[in-house]
Amino acid sequence: QEGVTIGDRTRIQSHTFICDMVSIGNDVFVGHGVMFINDTMPPQPEKEKWLPTIIEDGASLGSNCTIMPVRVGKNSVVGAGAVVTKDVPPHALVIGNPGSVRGWVSHDGEVLGPELVCPRSRRRYRVLNGELVEDV
C-alpha cells in the first residue's frame, strides 16, 4: 500500500485491512479483523476525500474495530468492535459505536477506576482539558 508505515515491535493479527495513508507507531497491537478506512465519502471519484490515519506508539486496537481517518493517541485502548470517528486522546479507553471515551489507561497499561489511581504503580492522574495528566 502507498504511504503505509508500521513501527517496530507492532503486532498485527489476521484479517486486518490496512489501506493507503495509515501510519502505525511502535509497540502497537492491532487485533483480528481491524478495518482502517481512509475515505470519508462514498465511492464517487469527484468527491473522494482521502485522509491519513495515525496510530501513535503503544496503542491497542481491539478485534473488529473500525478506524476512520483519525489520530489514535499514545497508549490508548480501542475496545473490540468500536467505530472510531474522532481523534482519540493519549491514554483514553474508547468503546462503542460511535466510539467515545469511557475511561482512561495509565502509563503502565492499567485501566483506571474512578479515583484515577494506577493499581500497579500507584501513580495518580487527573483529567485536564479532556486529556489524562499525571498528578504531581
Side-chain angles (χ1 to χ4, degrees):
Q1 302 290 10
E2 289 185 40
V4 172
T5 59
I6 298 173
D8 296 334
R9 299 169 305 282
T10 288
R11 294 181 300 161
I12 300 173
Q13 304 302 306
S14 63
H15 305 291
T16 291
F17 176 77
I18 301 174
C19 57
D20 294 345
M21 300 173 66
V22 172
S23 175
I24 301 175
N26 298 319
D27 303 303
V28 172
F29 174 80
V30 180
H32 296 277
V34 172
M35 179 72 65
F36 291 94
I37 307 294
N38 66 357
D39 188 359
T40 59
M41 299 296 281
Q44 301 170 14
E46 69 278 1
K47 292 185 178 179
E48 283 183 337
K49 186 172 182 184
W50 295 60
L51 297 170
T53 299
I54 299 167
I55 311 300
E56 294 182 350
D57 295 348
S60 181
L61 308 178
S63 294
N64 298 312
C65 66
T66 300
I67 310 294
M68 299 301 285
V70 297
R71 176 180 296 271
V72 175
K74 186 174 181 174
N75 298 319
S76 58
V77 174
V78 175
V83 178
V84 180
T85 60
K86 296 179 183 172
D87 287 352
V88 174
H91 298 280
L93 171 64
V94 172
I95 60 174
N97 179 6
S100 61
V101 175
R102 297 289 190 84
W104 300 96
V105 180
S106 75
H107 287 85
D108 298 300
E110 299 285 339
V111 176
L112 300 173
E115 67 284 347
L116 299 178
V117 176
C118 178
R120 186 184 313 177
S121 68
R122 307 308 300 163
R123 289 165 100 170
R124 295 184 169 278
Y125 298 89
R126 60 190 166 99
V127 178
L128 182 64
N129 297 324
E131 292 198 18
L132 189 72
V133 295
E134 189 171 4
D135 236 354
V136 286

